[in-house]
Amino acid sequence: MSNIAIILAGGIGSRMGNVNLPKQFLKIGDIPIIIMTLQNILKTKLFDKTIIAIHKDWVDFLKELLNRFKIDSSKINIVIGGKERLDSIENVLYKIKNNTNKDDIVVICDAARPFITKDMLNNSIIKAQQYDVAIATIPAKDTMVISENNIVIDIPNRNNMFNVQTPESFKFGLLYDAMKTLTAQERQSITCSSQICEKKGIPIHSFSGDERNIKITTMIDLYLANIIYEEMKKMK
């Protein structure tokens, strides 16, 4: 049985504001975010394959970074990402389907979560082996509301609310079959990988994420990421 890491890096980071590069290429310290994420995944030695899904316009730039940071590109497969997250996942799964067994574990990671740890990735693999689908979550700190047209219509119990992180892990065959049967309407409402399975009524197991494992979406996130990075360097 193989473990396959998929890094989603197809976005252009429109919520970052006026920047010249997609967010995954911005730097924390002197290291591009996607390189830091990739290094943290590769050094775990948990994966037989590592695949990066990226926008076609940035493939050469990524290859240049891999060379500059001396990452063995022979161990990295690059796949052209799609317009949406689901499209990128679909492109990767179709690419690997002929060489992947149904019980192989697929671990989907965000390129923009550079502080992913070996413990999280290892837990993700173990939980997917046990439960078929597993996602990293952290408890919601704030009270959440459901609002329509600026009117609050529900305030869910915060004790039952969690924020989803990546990694999200799956047995390949289950994820592939669920993805193939999505309707057009279901596809429109998917914002995280595990929703592919949720739409088909497949149980999803959660495990503890890590508060440091932030997703860099805005400039505030990038500011926080640099602070986390400096603190983590001190701990080494």
Side-chain angles (χ1 to χ4, degrees):
M1 186 164 60
S2 297
N3 299 323
I4 303 162
I6 297 173
I7 303 174
L8 299 180
I12 57 173
S14 58
R15 285 176 287 180
M16 286 299 292
N18 186 23
V19 292
N20 296 324
L21 295 170
K23 63 183 179 183
Q24 58 268 26
F25 297 122
L26 300 178
K27 291 182 178 179
I28 298 173
D30 295 323
I31 306 173
I33 292 168
I34 190 170
I35 294 297
M36 188 178 293
T37 303
L38 181 58
Q39 288 173 334
N40 281 333
I41 290 171
L42 291 176
K43 72 182 181 182
T44 69
K45 302 187 184 303
L46 290 170
F47 297 97
D48 303 284
K49 301 176 187 175
T50 301
I51 302 166
I52 302 174
I54 193 162
H55 191 284
K56 61 182 177 60
D57 292 345
W58 292 96
V59 170
D60 290 341
F61 188 80
L62 173 61
K63 289 180 177 178
E64 190 178 304
L65 287 179
L66 295 177
N67 183 58
R68 189 189 313 167
F69 284 87
K70 296 180 170 51
I71 293 174
D72 186 355
S73 57
S74 68
K75 297 181 180 179
I76 310 295
N77 293 317
I78 297 174
V79 172
I80 302 302
K83 182 178 179 182
E84 304 294 340
R85 182 185 189 87
L86 178 61
D87 300 322
S88 292
I89 295 170
E90 194 170 47
N91 288 357
V92 173
L93 296 188
Y94 282 150
K95 185 78 173 179
I96 67 175
K97 66 183 176 67
N98 292 331
N99 298 306
T100 306
N101 297 319
K102 65 182 181 65
D103 288 330
D104 288 347
I105 302 300
V106 172
V107 180
I108 296 178
C109 307
D110 290 321
R113 289 189 191 270
F115 303 119
I116 194 164
T117 66
K118 183 174 183 177
D119 282 347
M120 291 183 69
L121 290 165
N122 192 48
N123 285 340
S124 184
I125 291 167
I126 291 170
K127 297 303 182 184
Q129 289 170 342
Q130 292 176 325
Y131 301 105
D132 298 339
V133 183
I135 60 174
T137 64
I138 57 173
K141 292 182 177 179
D142 299 321
T143 297
M144 303 283 189
V145 302
I146 298 173
S147 175
E148 292 182 2
N149 299 318
N150 295 322
I151 301 295
V152 173
I153 60 173
D154 192 20
I155 305 178
N157 182 350
R158 186 175 65 188
N159 293 332
N160 298 326
M161 303 295 290
F162 294 82
N163 294 316
V164 175
Q165 299 184 327
T166 60
E168 298 174 276
S169 55
F170 313 82
K171 287 185 177 173
F172 173 81
L174 181 144
L175 179 62
Y176 183 80
D177 290 343
M179 184 193 66
K180 285 197 305 182
T181 60
L182 288 173
T183 66
Q185 184 176 5
E186 287 171 337
R187 292 177 69 94
Q188 290 177 357
S189 60
I190 288 176
T191 58
C192 74
S193 312
S194 56
Q195 280 180 293
I196 298 170
C197 295
E198 184 266 338
K199 296 292 183 187
K200 299 303 172 183
I202 298 168
I204 299 168
H205 184 84
S206 66
F207 64 95
S208 295
D210 189 318
E211 290 191 356
R212 296 170 298 178
N213 185 36
I214 64 171
K215 185 177 183 181
I216 300 172
T217 303
T218 67
M219 291 304 296
I220 290 292
D221 299 325
L222 186 59
Y223 173 76
L224 292 173
N226 275 279
I227 294 174
I228 293 170
Y229 176 61
E230 291 301 321
E231 290 301 313
M232 290 177 75
K233 282 201 300 184
K234 293 177 185 177
M235 295 169 61
K236 291 182 178 179

